[in-house]
Amino acid sequence: EELLAYIKANREHETWRAYSLALRRFREYMGDLDIGVITQQHLHKFHSALLDEGLKKTSVNIYLRHLKAAFQKAVEWEYINRNPYIGVKQFRLEKRLPRFLSQEEIITLLNSIEDREFRIMIEMYLYTGLRRSELLHLCWRDIDVTHGFIYIHKTKTHLERAIPLTEILTGLIESLRNISGKREYLFRWRHERTISKLFEEAVKTSGIKKIRLHDLRHTFASHLVMSGENLKTVQELLGHQ
């Protein structure tokens, strides 16, 4: 509880939520076992149990990273002498080739979305290459129509960047302003997982195969490169160092 209170006060809500889930599952499995006696054998059994429940290796690795950080904080706070996660390796994942949507698939996907605001969000994904968290944190004060830029402050790399406001993006912003009212953020949804679920439903409705939300960033980058844009500019727009 002390760790979760610390995270809630110092990190983003989604980070706190991820830690909460990982710690809850860990407590459910370990029961009343004191953290000071937990060994790597306990951890390996816990990871295996998660896999047996049907969790993917990707999800188990996320739990592993959060729990490792939690135990490290327990070491810093002198609750335990050693982090049992030190030396525990993540599961090796098969590398998946980047997937991007064709123009026909883009049209099919957008036509499958009934919610006007969510459709605009997906279009902004496709025309900005923003990450899910970056798009959710966009505020109206970040939109500079006068100078023609969208300013990204909440980034994964902690480096701010600017996205040029194209004619298409300007039109999307204007449409969104007509339905957003006076709220602070561009979009009404506040949780990343909600966006992922809405996207999964849209993909299912569209009939498009093997596409993830993150693939919209690949689509943005791929179409820019195919149109003749140089790689350095594309990397800068994506927020890659």
Side-chain angles (χ1 to χ4, degrees):
E1 298 301 327
E2 183 180 357
L3 174 64
L4 289 177
Y6 171 83
I7 294 171
K8 194 169 189 177
N10 294 279
R11 305 289 292 276
E12 297 291 340
H13 176 80
E14 287 297 327
T15 302
W16 171 84
R17 186 171 175 272
Y19 271 95
S20 298
L21 180 58
L23 289 168
R24 178 173 61 80
R25 296 297 299 274
F26 189 75
R27 284 196 298 263
E28 288 173 353
Y29 181 82
M30 296 297 175
D32 296 327
L33 190 65
D34 187 272
I35 62 171
V37 301
I38 290 175
T39 66
Q40 288 192 358
Q41 186 177 12
H42 290 113
L43 302 179
H44 289 308
K45 288 182 177 179
F46 171 59
H47 301 155
S48 295
L50 292 175
L51 291 174
D52 290 341
E53 291 176 15
L55 263 70
K56 296 181 180 179
K57 290 181 179 179
T58 305
S59 300
V60 177
N61 282 345
I62 293 173
Y63 281 14
L64 190 156
R65 291 195 295 270
H66 284 102
L67 290 170
K68 182 177 182 179
F71 272 99
Q72 191 57 41
K73 185 59 68 176
V75 172
E76 293 176 16
W77 289 345
E78 299 182 350
Y79 286 117
I80 55 177
N81 295 320
R82 182 180 180 279
N83 184 344
Y85 264 103
I86 298 298
V88 176
K89 296 181 179 180
Q90 297 185 48
F91 289 102
R92 183 175 295 180
L93 306 175
E94 293 183 9
K95 288 192 175 182
R96 178 179 179 270
L97 289 175
R99 164 86 156 91
F100 67 91
L101 292 169
S102 66
Q103 289 290 353
E104 292 76 13
E105 287 176 320
I106 290 173
I107 294 170
T108 299
L109 175 63
L110 294 176
N111 286 340
S112 72
I113 301 173
E114 295 183 1
D115 186 289
R116 185 183 176 196
E117 185 174 342
F118 187 62
R119 178 184 170 120
I120 292 174
M121 171 179 271
I122 296 304
E123 288 184 274
M124 287 192 65
Y125 262 108
L126 291 165
Y127 289 111
T128 63
L130 294 181
R131 297 180 177 91
R132 179 178 56 179
S133 59
E134 293 170 345
L135 202 52
L136 281 182
H137 282 103
L138 272 184
C139 298
W140 283 108
R141 63 175 177 270
D142 300 324
I143 310 300
D144 185 351
V145 177
T146 302
H147 297 97
F149 287 101
I150 300 175
Y151 296 103
I152 315 301
H153 303 291
K154 291 279 186 178
T155 70
K156 184 178 180 180
T157 58
H158 305 292
L159 296 175
E160 296 184 356
R161 68 184 190 279
I163 303 293
L165 261 180
T166 63
E167 184 177 344
I168 291 176
L169 281 174
T170 300
L172 291 173
I173 293 294
E174 290 176 355
S175 296
L176 187 59
R177 193 180 293 276
N178 291 332
I179 61 177
S180 67
K182 297 182 179 180
R183 64 186 179 217
E184 178 183 4
Y185 295 96
L186 266 68
F187 299 101
R188 69 179 187 266
W189 303 282
R190 302 293 352 118
H191 302 302
E192 294 182 17
R193 186 57 192 153
T194 302
I195 302 305
S196 295
K197 287 183 178 179
L198 288 172
F199 182 74
E200 289 167 7
E201 292 171 3
V203 169
K204 186 176 181 180
T205 302
S206 72
I208 299 172
K209 304 298 183 184
K210 296 182 179 180
I211 188 75
R212 306 166 304 172
L213 184 60
H214 192 71
D215 291 329
L216 298 185
R217 270 170 62 82
H218 297 155
T219 300
F220 167 77
S222 297
H223 282 269
L224 274 182
V225 172
M226 287 187 291
S227 69
E229 190 60 77
N230 68 75
L231 288 176
K232 187 175 186 300
T233 299
V234 174
Q235 289 176 331
E236 290 174 351
L237 290 172
L238 289 172
H240 291 167
Q241 297 186 37

